[in-house]
Amino acid sequence: MSLTRDQLVRLKLEVTGHAVYASRISLVLALRLVGHPADTSAVLHEIGSLEGLRPATRAKPPQQFKHAPLAPLWHKHFFSPRHLLRNIGERWNLARGAGNRDLDVALSEIAAQHGDDPAKWPSVLVHRLNVGGLEERAHAQRLTGDWIIFAKRDGENYYLDLATHEEAEGPANSERLMQKLQAGCQSEFPFLF
């Protein structure tokens, strides 16, 4: 695929809704947003928040990577509906399988409050675990999802790509993620690498 500079500028402006930061998103990210329209508004909302154009969201705050080779870069979580189950699982510690005192307490409270009406338990339990768990994570600004990977340079953010948590787990995955970022963004933003 080949784009002229004018086509590249127009594409980025179109994808971002003519945002002031359009020139600081990579072509890779712009194309990813076109290809995944369900995530576009969530990603652009988080970027708007990072740029100070929108209020902060309930997703986790931005963090700089701690280990090489990703250490100079940052990531910001974005939350979209496809991340709902992951957040509920995180709230109740379901993925780790180690048990959860909060879950035990919730079950005990439901039994105490509705012990005389066991037919009510399933709907109360589903509501408490799903809606309650999600609301609690949102209130604590702990919503998780995938990442917007960005770099900071001269007081501005440059938005490179999206990634999952798993793409940065461990040294081998971190190296592959950095290679992916370099392959997709280094020619456009060489000063970041």
Side-chain angles (χ1 to χ4, degrees), residues 114-136:
H114 304 285
D116 58 339
D117 190 3
K120 208 172 189 183
W121 289 22
S123 63
V124 173
L125 178 62
V126 166
H127 185 271
R128 177 82 181 263
L129 294 181
N130 293 321
V131 176
L134 194 61
E135 286 175 350
E136 289 171 20

Side-chain angles (χ1 to χ4, degrees), residues 32-189:
R32 193 170 311 281
L33 293 175
V34 168
H36 298 280
D39 288 341
T40 300
S41 65
V43 169
L44 293 179
H45 189 93
E46 290 296 343
I47 292 174
S49 176
L50 288 167
E51 291 290 314
L53 304 171
R54 291 180 170 226
T57 68
R58 299 290 184 158
K60 291 179 178 180
Q63 288 186 316
Q64 188 171 18
F65 284 101
K66 292 176 177 70
H67 304 288
L70 298 171
L73 302 177
W74 290 70
H75 66 279
K76 173 68 174 103
H77 287 85
F78 71 93
F79 173 81
S80 69
R82 67 186 174 89
H83 301 118
L84 233 150
L85 289 178
R86 180 177 188 154
N87 278 275
I88 292 167
E90 289 288 331
R91 167 59 184 100
W92 299 109
N93 201 25
L94 301 177
R96 289 171 188 71
N100 184 317
R101 259 190 313 240
D102 291 345
L103 183 56
D104 291 341
V105 168
L107 294 171
S108 296
E109 287 175 356
I110 290 167
Q113 293 168 358
H114 304 285
D116 58 339
D117 190 3
K120 208 172 189 183
W121 289 22
S123 63
V124 173
L125 178 62
V126 166
H127 185 271
R128 177 82 181 263
L129 294 181
N130 293 321
V131 176
L134 194 61
E135 286 175 350
E136 289 171 20
R137 282 188 69 83
H139 181 71
Q141 292 187 309
R142 299 278 304 146
L143 289 177
T144 191
D146 291 332
W147 291 335
I148 302 164
I149 308 290
F150 67 102
K152 293 184 176 199
R153 167 101 182 204
D154 298 330
E156 293 188 305
N157 295 332
Y158 291 83
Y159 304 97
L160 305 176
D161 203 352
L162 304 180
T164 65
H165 292 121
E166 295 75 22
E167 284 183 273
E169 281 181 1
N173 287 347
S174 293
E175 183 63 41
R176 277 192 290 277
L177 178 54
M178 181 54 102
Q179 289 170 0
K180 171 183 136 177
L181 295 168
Q182 287 173 320
C185 305
Q186 190 167 12
S187 64
E188 191 173 3
F189 302 124

